[in-house]
């Protein structure tokens, strides 16, 4: 006695195996897509859509009559603005003055504190402590240090018989003062990555260098630094991002002054968008800033990785 198959089962049984196999990968994708959908929605709303909106604003101008397409006029007006030129120069000097000293100090701290021991662990925590302080709070702390005449720095300069200085009010000193704060704040953070890179270097490489009679400087130059190339590539990108995106201390200490001496690119963008209500120029400055940052990031990665990047 035979039993008739249900209609659906009969249809599946009659379906060619190739058609069933072709439909299985699509069915397997449903669950991963369902699990990823909340993240994809957030990425679309808060990452990709803002990028599209910035590109739209950079090529349009908002007037009382509405929005009109202006092409590259916002970029032409941007590069003709002497304030933007000053902000671009300031950010270049600021990046140069923060990235290189921060990485050098981080390397020195990491070399000194590499290894086990309670004292070294305590010193690592002390060097990392500035990272835990919010940037606004660190700026408020340095504001007391930089106060002319009565600040802690001028107090010790007076005890040494040296003249005081207006650290935040002098156009020749203000950017340097902000640079010192940034180096103090970020060096301990970069130190952690370099420490991890040092601990990943095989002991065999150091032992081979010792057997060859290499001194400390030779081991650093020919063993340690080449092994840290990927680490420096990663940390260099983070340092460049921080040099462009960290402006909280500028708001607290100088607000871009004096005489635009500390006006950075992100502060210029904020000023154009929030104070002058020029969304087109602010968007154009954002596009230029992101383009420069992408180019510098690619250059940093290619140079730091050396010959391995071309393989």
């Amino acid at each position: 006695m035979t039993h008739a198959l249900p209609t659906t089962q009969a249809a599946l049984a009659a379906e060619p195996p190739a058609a069933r196999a072709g439909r299985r990968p699509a069915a397997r994708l449903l669950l991963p897509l369902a699990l990823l959908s909340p993240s994809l929605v957030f990425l679309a709303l808060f990452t990709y859509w803002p990028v599209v909106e910035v590109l739209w604003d950079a090529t349009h101008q908002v007037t009382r009559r509405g929005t009109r397409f202006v092409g590259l006029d916002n970029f032409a007006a941007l590069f003709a603005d002497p304030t933007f030129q000053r902000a671009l120069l300031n950010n270049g000097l600021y990046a140069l003055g923060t990235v290189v000293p921060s990485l050098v100090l981080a390397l020195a701290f990491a070399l000194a504190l590499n290894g086990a021991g309670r004292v070294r662990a305590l010193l690592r925590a002390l060097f990392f402590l500035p990272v835990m302080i919010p940037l606004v709070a660190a700026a408020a702390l340095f504001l007391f240090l930089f106060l002319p005449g009565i600040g802690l720095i001028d107090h010790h300069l007076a005890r040494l018989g040296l003249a005081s200085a207006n650290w935040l009010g002098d156009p020749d000193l203000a950017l340097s003062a902000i640079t010192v704060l940034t180096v103090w704040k970020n060096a301990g953070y970069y130190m952690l990555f370099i420490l991890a890179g040092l601990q990943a270097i095989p002991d065999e490489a150091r032992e081979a260098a010792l057997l060859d009679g290499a001194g400390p400087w030779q081991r650093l130059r020919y063993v340690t630094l080449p092994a840290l190339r990927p680490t420096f590539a990663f940390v260099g990108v983070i340092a460049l991002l921080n040099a462009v995106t960290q402006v909280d201390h500028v708001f607290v200490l100088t607000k871009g002054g004096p005489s635009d001496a500390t006006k950075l690119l992100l502060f210029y963008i904020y000023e154009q968008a929030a104070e002058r209500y020029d969304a087109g120029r602010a968007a154009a400055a954002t596009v230029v800033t992101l383009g420069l940052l992408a180019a510098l990031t690619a250059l940093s990665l290619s140079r730091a990785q050396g010959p391995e990047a071309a393989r």
Side-chain angles (χ1 to χ4, degrees), residues 10 58 60 79 96 119 141 174 184 216 242 283:
H60 289 76
F79 284 105
L96 185 64
V119 175
L141 173 64
W184 174 82
N242 288 336

Side-chain angles (χ1 to χ4, degrees), residues 19 21 40 54 67 76 98 102 133 143 148 174 178 184 205 227 242 247 249 270 305:
L40 293 177
V54 165
T67 303
T98 56
S102 295
I133 302 175
L143 183 62
I178 291 179
W184 174 82
N242 288 336
V247 293
H249 52 320
Y270 159 79
Q305 292 176 351

Side-chain angles (χ1 to χ4, degrees), residues 212-225:
D212 290 338
W217 169 248
Q218 293 174 323
R219 292 198 302 271
L220 175 65
R221 181 178 178 183
Y222 296 107
V223 177
T224 304
L225 291 181

Side-chain angles (χ1 to χ4, degrees), residues 15-281:
E15 189 176 19
R20 293 199 303 269
R23 203 164 49 213
R24 286 171 186 168
R28 292 174 181 173
L29 287 176
L30 291 178
L31 180 59
L33 287 176
L35 295 175
L36 288 173
S37 58
S39 298
L40 293 177
V41 170
F42 274 97
L43 282 174
L45 290 177
F46 299 107
T47 301
Y48 303 128
W49 174 249
V51 171
V52 174
E53 191 173 8
V54 165
L55 293 175
W56 173 273
D57 290 340
T59 55
H60 289 76
Q61 185 178 17
V62 179
T63 62
R64 294 181 180 179
R65 298 180 181 179
T67 303
R68 65 184 183 91
F69 178 76
V70 295
L72 300 178
D73 290 352
N74 285 325
F75 292 93
L78 178 69
F79 284 105
D81 186 2
T83 305
F84 173 75
Q85 298 173 7
R86 181 64 185 273
L88 189 62
L89 176 62
N90 288 341
N91 224 139
L93 295 174
Y94 176 75
L96 185 64
T98 56
V99 173
V100 176
S102 295
L103 294 182
V104 171
L105 278 177
L107 176 62
F109 294 159
L111 290 173
L113 302 179
N114 185 32
R118 293 183 179 180
V119 175
R120 288 180 175 177
L122 178 61
L123 290 177
R124 289 179 203 166
L126 290 177
F127 284 128
F128 188 74
L129 184 61
V131 183
M132 307 299 293
I133 302 175
L135 188 54
V136 173
L141 173 64
F142 271 73
L143 183 62
F144 289 101
L145 297 178
F146 289 135
L147 282 175
I150 60 174
L152 188 61
I153 296 178
D154 282 357
H155 171 73
H156 288 289
L157 288 177
R159 295 184 61 181
L160 295 174
L162 301 176
S164 61
N166 190 359
W167 301 100
L168 300 176
D170 188 342
D172 296 329
L173 297 175
L175 188 62
S176 300
I178 291 179
T179 301
V180 170
L181 164 60
T182 306
V183 172
W184 174 82
K185 182 79 169 59
N186 294 335
Y189 179 58
Y190 305 147
M191 176 194 69
L192 294 182
F193 295 102
I194 298 177
L195 267 174
L198 287 174
Q199 294 174 1
I201 298 176
D203 293 334
E204 292 80 2
R206 298 191 182 93
E207 293 173 358
L210 287 173
L211 290 176
D212 290 338
W217 169 248
Q218 293 174 323
R219 292 198 302 271
L220 175 65
R221 181 178 178 183
Y222 296 107
V223 177
T224 304
L225 291 181
L228 290 177
R229 279 184 180 273
T231 303
F232 276 112
F234 176 72
V235 178
V237 171
I238 295 178
L240 285 174
L241 288 172
N242 288 336
V244 175
T245 59
Q246 289 183 339
V247 293
D248 300 7
H249 52 320
V250 176
F251 282 92
V252 175
L253 294 174
T254 61
K255 294 182 174 57
S259 302
D260 295 335
T262 60
K263 185 168 291 184
L264 305 180
L265 286 173
L266 194 58
F267 190 90
Y268 175 86
I269 295 171
Y270 159 79
E271 191 176 57
Q272 297 299 317
E275 296 182 2
R276 301 181 183 274
Y277 302 103
D278 192 344
R281 187 173 297 189

